[in-house]
Amino acid sequence: MKICISCESTCDLPKELLKQYDIQTIPFTVLLGEKSGFDGDITPEKIFSYVDETKILPKTAAVNEYQYINYFKRLKQNYDAIIHFSLSSKISSACSNAKKVTKIIKDLYVIDSRSLSTGIALLAIYARKLADRGLEPKEIVERCEKRIPHVQASFILDTLDYLHKGGRCSGLTKFAADLFRIKPQIVVKDGSMGMGKKYRGKVDVLVEKYCQDTLQEFNNPDKSIAFITHTVASEQMVQSAKKALQEAGFKTIYETTAGATITSHCGPKTLGILYINDGLDEE
């Protein structure tokens, strides 16, 4: 059986990794005022320029039911079954829209990742490895769903400006963060984004501490793969994260640039390390 592994563009995987792992994607739509484009085509730099000029955030539109129907029908021309990973249902309506289509298209399985960005990618890559080993779709879905609670997805932010503009933090919280140079950690828990630890200083030098704290708290990782995902972070930030993951024993470390969804919420110089924290080693 030929199984398709699919995600929305919010998995933040570059084209070369999508090709390497044979993962298909469908994009969210990004609205920059009267102009629109697809997540993946709209770069972080374009979003930063738009926000600087207009002082407002771009809007993102989830994939709708009609778009999913056409997308999945096209995939079924080349695959016997589809396993699709959606952005957390607590963040977007995309998952709900995709699940509606399972009533129309046979052998379509939609999984609520309860994660975002390369947290979704970790599950999709795992599913591809299982499919390549010849497992049936239902068993792949069951194994992936067991790992969902263990996906460690977190980021350190340089500014609360974007969260404030998006209504996700109060003006008082932002004022205090700016005044005391606080750099917050955003943690994905139970499918929602929430505040984690708070760091003080310059984000370029705080990444090392953020990584150490994260690896200490989530200290039972699957060391076969980890992601460093960022919105145009400095080289110092990326290298600090890479060093921390290498010293922790991760075998494969991918660096990716976040797409429009993460960028629109988190702003510039946001960086996260993401891995599955369940002790398995799924080479």
Side-chain angles (χ1 to χ4, degrees), residues 72-117:
F72 290 135
K73 281 185 175 179
R74 187 171 69 251
L75 292 178
K76 283 301 293 289
Q77 294 175 3
N78 298 308
Y79 295 92
D80 301 307
I82 303 169
I83 300 174
H84 178 78
F85 294 86
S86 269
L87 177 65
S88 173
S89 61
K90 293 185 178 180
I91 296 174
S92 168
S93 62
C95 184
S96 174
N97 293 339
K99 285 188 173 182
K100 292 175 184 177
V101 183
T102 60
K103 299 177 182 178
I104 300 171
I105 296 178
K106 293 182 179 180
D107 299 312
L108 168 63
Y109 305 83
V110 175
I111 298 176
D112 182 353
S113 72
R114 303 212 304 273
S115 192
L116 49 70
S117 189

Side-chain angles (χ1 to χ4, degrees), residues 2-249:
K2 191 174 182 183
I3 300 174
C4 174
I5 306 301
S6 167
C7 306
E8 291 112 26
S9 57
T10 50
C11 68
D12 289 344
L13 282 176
K15 292 179 180 179
E16 58 268 23
L17 289 182
L18 291 172
K19 182 178 180 181
Q20 178 180 333
Y21 290 105
D22 188 19
I23 296 171
Q24 306 297 318
T25 58
I26 182 170
F28 272 42
T29 299
V30 183
L31 305 171
L32 301 173
E34 296 181 354
K35 297 181 180 179
S36 65
F38 288 128
D39 186 1
D41 295 332
I42 302 294
T43 64
E45 289 87 353
K46 287 183 180 179
I47 289 177
F48 302 150
S49 296
Y50 176 78
V51 174
D52 288 342
E53 291 172 6
T54 65
K55 309 305 178 186
I56 59 175
L57 292 181
K59 296 180 180 179
T60 57
V63 183
N64 61 43
E65 191 174 342
Y66 175 76
Q67 291 171 315
Y68 277 125
I69 290 172
N70 291 332
Y71 170 68
F72 290 135
K73 281 185 175 179
R74 187 171 69 251
L75 292 178
K76 283 301 293 289
Q77 294 175 3
N78 298 308
Y79 295 92
D80 301 307
I82 303 169
I83 300 174
H84 178 78
F85 294 86
S86 269
L87 177 65
S88 173
S89 61
K90 293 185 178 180
I91 296 174
S92 168
S93 62
C95 184
S96 174
N97 293 339
K99 285 188 173 182
K100 292 175 184 177
V101 183
T102 60
K103 299 177 182 178
I104 300 171
I105 296 178
K106 293 182 179 180
D107 299 312
L108 168 63
Y109 305 83
V110 175
I111 298 176
D112 182 353
S113 72
R114 303 212 304 273
S115 192
L116 49 70
S117 189
T118 45
I120 304 170
L122 287 162
L123 295 168
I125 290 172
Y126 175 56
R128 168 50 60 204
K129 291 177 179 179
L130 295 178
D132 289 347
R133 283 162 48 185
L135 275 68
E136 293 296 315
K138 288 184 179 180
E139 185 174 356
I140 295 173
V141 170
E142 288 175 2
R143 292 197 184 194
C144 287
E145 288 181 335
K146 286 180 180 178
R147 301 196 83 185
I148 286 173
H150 303 286
V151 175
Q152 187 290 125
S154 64
F155 300 83
I156 185 171
L157 275 61
D158 184 44
T159 176
L160 283 175
D161 189 43
Y162 279 56
L163 287 179
H164 175 57
K165 283 184 169 67
R168 293 179 180 269
C169 84
S170 68
L172 182 60
T173 300
K174 179 184 179 304
F175 175 78
D178 291 344
L179 181 64
F180 296 106
R181 298 169 66 199
I182 293 172
K183 311 301 180 185
Q185 177 193 32
I186 297 296
V187 179
V188 180
K189 185 176 181 180
D190 298 326
S192 298
M193 293 190 296
M195 291 286 186
K197 297 180 183 297
K198 296 178 178 65
Y199 299 93
R200 189 173 177 181
K202 292 184 177 180
V203 71
D204 297 73
V205 298
L206 290 171
V207 165
E208 182 179 357
K209 177 60 175 169
Y210 151 72
C211 291
Q212 290 174 349
D213 288 348
T214 302
L215 290 164
Q216 184 175 1
E217 182 177 359
F218 302 96
N219 58 5
N220 190 33
D222 170 359
K223 294 183 179 180
S224 65
I225 183 171
F227 279 96
I228 300 168
T229 301
H230 60 88
T231 59
V232 195
S234 68
E235 184 63 22
Q236 180 182 354
M237 294 170 67
V238 173
Q239 290 304 318
S240 293
K242 190 172 294 185
K243 179 181 178 183
L245 292 174
Q246 288 172 339
E247 291 179 349

